[in-house]
Amino acid sequence: MAQGKYSFWVWLFYFILFEVVVYLGLSYLLSGLGESNQFQAENTVVPNWVKAVVFILLYLLCLLIAVMLVSNMVPNKYRPQLMRWVYLSLLVLPFMLIILFN
């Protein structure tokens, strides 16, 4: 996490790239779960709940792996800066779930 002029923008690019890759990968992986048509006579709550929970758990696993890898690469004094990206990633998670089910 360099102190350069463009370091924020570089890390923002990496963050957006991570979010897009994880979302596309998990949505492809979980495409068989859940019901695509929410407005049908049968109950769609349970299959979609399973899809949401699996998505959240796999997303948190990907986030944990990414944090472990990145925190091992940066010096100790920059690790608190890494946590702001983790918190931002957790804030993005509900929006990714909304997009997943629309």
Side-chain angles (χ1 to χ4, degrees):
M1 296 195 169
Q3 295 286 3
K5 185 176 180 181
Y6 302 107
S7 67
F8 172 76
W9 299 108
V10 171
W11 284 103
L12 181 65
F13 172 75
Y14 288 146
F15 173 77
I16 292 172
L17 182 68
F18 171 77
E19 295 293 324
V20 168
V21 168
V22 169
Y23 173 76
L24 291 176
L26 290 179
S27 64
Y28 175 74
L29 184 67
L30 301 175
S31 62
L33 290 176
E35 297 290 334
S36 60
N37 183 8
Q38 297 292 323
F39 304 107
Q40 56 185 344
E42 295 88 25
N43 187 3
T44 62
V45 173
V46 173
N48 290 334
W49 181 82
V50 170
K51 183 177 182 177
V53 169
V54 171
F55 183 87
I56 291 170
L57 291 175
L58 290 176
Y59 180 80
L60 291 175
L61 180 67
C62 292
L63 182 63
L64 180 65
I65 291 170
V67 167
M68 288 174 37
L69 289 175
V70 173
S71 69
N72 284 331
M73 294 179 192
V74 298
N76 285 338
K77 66 179 182 177
Y78 297 123
R79 286 189 184 154
Q81 294 178 10
L82 176 64
M83 288 309 294
R84 92 173 126 184
W85 296 107
V86 172
Y87 297 143
L88 183 62
S89 182
L90 292 175
L91 288 175
V92 170
L93 179 60
F95 297 109
M96 290 172 59
L97 281 172
I98 291 170
I99 294 171
L100 182 68
F101 286 108
N102 284 336

